[in-house]
Amino acid sequence: MEETKFIPGKRIDKARIIGLEKGKLPPQAIDFEVAVLGAMMIDKKGIDDVIDILHPDAFYDKRHQEIYAAIYTLFQNSEPTDLLTVSAQLRKDGKLDLVGGDFYLINLTQKVASSAHIEYHARIILQKYIQRKLISISSDIIESAYDETMDVFDLLDEAEAKLFEVTQGNLKKGSEDAGDLVKQALRKIQDISNQEGMSGLATGFSKLDALTSGWQPSDLIIIAARPGMGKTAFVISMAKNMAIDFGHAVALFSLEMSSVQLITRMISSETGLTSEKLRKGNLEAHEWEQLNVKVKKLSDAPIYIDDTPSLSIFDLRAKARRLVSQHGVRIIVIDYLQLMTAGGSGKGGGNREQEISTISRNLKALAKELEVPVIALSQLSRAVETRGGSKRPLLSDLRESGAIEQDADIVSFIFRPEYYGVTEWDDDEHTSCEGQGEFIVAKHRNGGLENIRLKFTGHLAKFSDLEEGFSSEFQSKMNVTPDQFSSPQDAFGSEEDDDMMPF
């Protein structure tokens, strides 16, 4: 194979070299580039159709990059765009000779008759550019992977950042016609009426469901509290309700606790056996029976847990897409937001507040892209503890970034007065707050605000509706006697018979 010769002082297109090494030209669509540029110079409508789709680097031919840049400059300055003005702009930039002079511009306009199908042509150009970009990124990754001095985790961060940049910068959604949107809205209203007003995913907390009509697709929900208030307990109770009672597939990304710890807490909540007893394993015969009967529902529940520590937003997006497409996941829960990383290789640049802002913005984008509600737990600042009087949290207590409040569709807080030694609610009736918590909806983009009181069962780390409490009537649902099981082997069967849970 003939060796590639490099000419000193001449700029070599890296993508072109990569393609030629494999005996292939890089992906390109020169005819479409000609058609798009020609149409833009003869019809102003053509500019309106593609100006937000393409950028100069999307063109493969260097001449076409310069011509499009001149057209873009004219558009930005609200100046007319035609053969003469484009020529004048290129002359002003000193690029007219580089593109082939007026003769080449005239040639472009003569090859098209109108701007028909220009948007379709532009998207083909964009697809070819993305392919070239992926080839270039892959080449850089391969080259860096052979470098023994390169830290592998820095390499992963760099690869994530570059791929994320391609996704964010080039995949754009166009606007939709009002007529089509009205039809979609009417269909949705009809569906809601058939579901008795529940348009989203029911949580199992009746007052919360009445307020929100369930968690809505594409919403970002922030649940914030100080440590020890029960954020994780709330989402575990909610996930269990949604998966067991309503059959909704739930994805839970736990950055703080291991998956086994979370499942143990779910088992405790579902069976009524304390986490301490489950940890020690010293259960009575009837408790083994209780565990065996109640845990079967949890075993069959569509709950998927990922306990990857320091999860980046890029990894989360990739994993969430797979869970939605492969397992039909209906809701995504992150515990908790401040333990996530933005990813990328820009270490030392920016600050933590900007990083949290990037994460919250991308969580909202993820909710819209997958059309599922995304719930992110968040820590509150210490201002709550130092504040005199009521310790009830405020929006201003959200830790590290005001962008969280801005991006979220719902911002809520969990507040348990008992934690601060308070025994009565600060209402007119001064009712007892023992064993209770408050779910405070402080921001609700599409609905009202409310403070919803819930029952909190501390030894089970479980939230439930205030009027329900924990049911201990499991004996009536059993078809076995308390002395039937006497050991964990009898209760669960042998390892060969054990069915693995999806989590």
Side-chain angles (χ1 to χ4, degrees):
M1 183 175 178
E2 187 177 345
E3 192 179 75
T4 305
K5 294 183 179 179
F6 298 93
I7 303 171
K10 185 179 175 74
R11 182 177 176 275
I12 304 297
D13 188 341
K14 189 171 186 179
R16 190 190 301 272
I17 295 170
I18 295 165
L20 290 174
E21 284 179 350
K22 295 185 177 181
K24 297 178 182 178
L25 283 173
Q28 55 188 280
I30 299 297
D31 290 342
F32 288 96
E33 292 181 10
V34 168
V36 166
L37 291 173
M40 292 177 81
M41 286 189 286
I42 66 172
D43 189 350
K44 183 182 182 300
K45 181 181 178 298
I47 300 175
D48 297 334
D49 288 343
V50 304
I51 201 71
D52 63 339
I53 298 174
L54 296 176
H55 48 84
D57 288 341
F59 290 85
Y60 179 75
D61 192 310
K62 179 68 175 176
R63 297 171 298 176
H64 297 165
Q65 292 179 12
E66 300 294 352
I67 295 169
Y68 184 83
I71 293 173
Y72 191 84
T73 299
L74 291 169
F75 177 83
Q76 291 284 82
N77 296 333
S78 301
E79 296 176 4
T81 305
D82 56 32
L83 179 61
L84 295 176
T85 56
V86 172
S87 175
Q89 183 63 44
L90 286 166
R91 186 178 289 107
K92 180 181 177 182
D93 296 337
K95 302 291 179 64
L96 184 59
D97 291 338
L98 178 64
V99 304
D102 289 328
F103 176 78
Y104 189 73
L105 296 178
I106 294 169
N107 193 40
L108 288 177
T109 59
Q110 289 179 341
K111 290 190 175 181
V112 292
S114 72
S115 63
H117 313 303
I118 188 172
E119 183 178 348
Y120 179 76
H121 296 161
R123 295 199 181 278
I124 290 177
I125 295 171
L126 183 63
Q127 289 170 18
K128 299 300 180 183
Y129 165 74
I130 293 173
Q131 288 177 273
R132 294 197 303 272
K133 194 73 175 172
L134 290 174
I135 290 171
S136 178
I137 291 171
S138 301
S139 176
D140 288 340
I141 294 171
I142 291 170
E143 185 177 344
S144 298
Y146 277 109
D147 185 355
E148 294 292 340
T149 64
M150 183 78 173
D151 183 89
V152 67
F153 296 105
D154 288 342
L155 176 59
L156 282 171
D157 283 345
E158 184 180 340
E160 287 175 5
K162 288 181 177 179
L163 289 170
F164 189 68
E165 183 183 350
V166 172
T167 303
Q168 292 292 92
N170 297 286
L171 302 183
K172 301 175 183 176
K173 182 181 178 183
S175 57
E176 296 180 77
D177 180 78
D180 293 335
L181 292 174
V182 167
K183 291 177 183 176
Q184 291 179 34
L186 289 175
R187 280 197 298 270
K188 184 175 181 180
I189 293 169
Q190 181 64 47
D191 291 341
I192 293 170
S193 68
N194 295 335
Q195 297 168 19
E196 299 182 352
M198 186 64 66
S199 58
L201 303 179
T203 65
F205 301 111
S206 56
K207 289 186 178 179
L208 179 59
D209 288 338
L211 178 67
T212 63
S213 291
W215 298 136
Q216 301 296 314
S218 78
D219 272 6
L220 173 61
I221 300 113
I222 299 295
I223 301 176
R226 287 294 294 155
M229 283 291 165
K231 296 186 299 296
T232 303
F234 177 83
V235 293
I236 285 176
S237 300
M238 181 192 69
K240 185 176 64 66
N241 293 343
M242 298 179 82
I244 294 177
D245 299 339
F246 303 104
H248 301 315
V250 179
L252 180 53
F253 291 89
S254 175
L255 286 78
E256 187 175 33
M257 298 175 65
S258 73
S259 55
V260 174
Q261 287 175 317
L262 277 176
I263 287 305
T264 302
R265 288 182 67 167
M266 284 190 182
I267 292 172
S268 173
S269 175
E270 180 66 11
T271 61
L273 301 170
T274 65
S275 295
E276 184 180 0
K277 278 196 170 187
L278 294 175
R279 267 198 315 272
K280 294 180 178 178
N282 56 346
L283 306 181
E284 302 292 334
H286 71 279
E287 290 175 326
W288 283 116
E289 179 183 359
Q290 178 178 348
L291 182 61
N292 178 62
V293 172
K294 292 264 185 171
V295 84
K296 284 184 177 178
K297 288 183 180 179
L298 189 58
S299 299
D300 297 331
I303 300 174
Y304 303 89
I305 297 177
D306 186 308
D307 60 359
T308 304
S310 301
L311 188 68
S312 74
I313 187 64
F314 182 87
D315 287 335
L316 175 70
R317 287 171 72 108
K319 291 182 177 189
R321 287 191 193 103
R322 285 196 295 271
L323 286 166
V324 170
S325 62
Q326 295 176 10
H327 301 290
V329 162
R330 303 284 304 280
I331 185 169
I332 295 166
V333 182
I334 298 115
D335 181 13
Y336 59 91
L337 189 148
Q338 278 81 10
L339 291 179
M340 290 189 69
T341 64
S345 56
K347 295 179 180 177
N351 54 40
R352 183 57 181 165
E353 183 173 334
Q354 292 171 339
E355 192 173 19
I356 291 294
S357 176
T358 298
I359 292 169
S360 67
R361 185 170 61 250
N362 281 283
L363 287 177
K364 175 59 182 175
L366 178 66
K368 289 182 67 177
E369 176 191 339
L370 300 180
E371 293 188 346
V372 299
V374 172
I375 296 178
L377 304 190
S378 177
Q379 291 280 30
L380 290 177
S381 69
R382 290 188 179 92
V384 178
E385 312 290 348
T386 59
R387 189 164 55 233
S390 174
K391 305 294 185 181
R392 185 176 272 105
L394 307 170
L395 285 172
S396 58
D397 296 324
L398 281 171
R399 184 177 165 189
E400 289 181 318
S401 179
I404 298 175
E405 178 187 345
Q406 175 183 320
D407 295 325
D409 297 279
I410 294 176
V411 178
S412 56
F413 303 112
I414 294 175
F415 174 58
R416 291 193 300 109
E418 262 189 312
Y419 183 84
Y420 298 107
V422 178
T423 58
E424 294 180 341
W425 288 108
D426 54 353
D427 54 16
D428 295 336
E429 300 175 0
H430 295 287
T431 53
S432 172
C433 62
E434 183 180 356
Q436 296 179 25
E438 203 169 44
F439 189 86
I440 304 168
V441 180
K443 175 191 175 183
H444 191 187
R445 186 167 283 160
N446 301 305
L449 309 180
E450 193 172 336
N451 298 345
I452 299 167
R453 292 180 187 175
L454 299 171
K455 180 177 178 60
F456 178 69
T457 309
H459 65 284
L460 300 178
K462 174 183 177 179
F463 280 91
S464 57
D465 278 338
L466 189 58
E467 61 274 11
E468 284 184 359
F470 182 76
S471 173
S472 61
E473 299 176 357
F474 65 92
Q475 292 281 359
S476 63
K477 299 178 183 178
M478 298 180 183
N479 296 320
V480 289
T481 57
D483 58 352
Q484 184 167 342
F485 300 120
S486 59
S487 70
Q489 287 76 19
D490 293 332
F492 291 108
S494 65
E495 290 184 4
E496 289 78 12
D497 296 332
D498 187 27
D499 291 325
M500 294 299 293
M501 291 179 279
F503 37 74

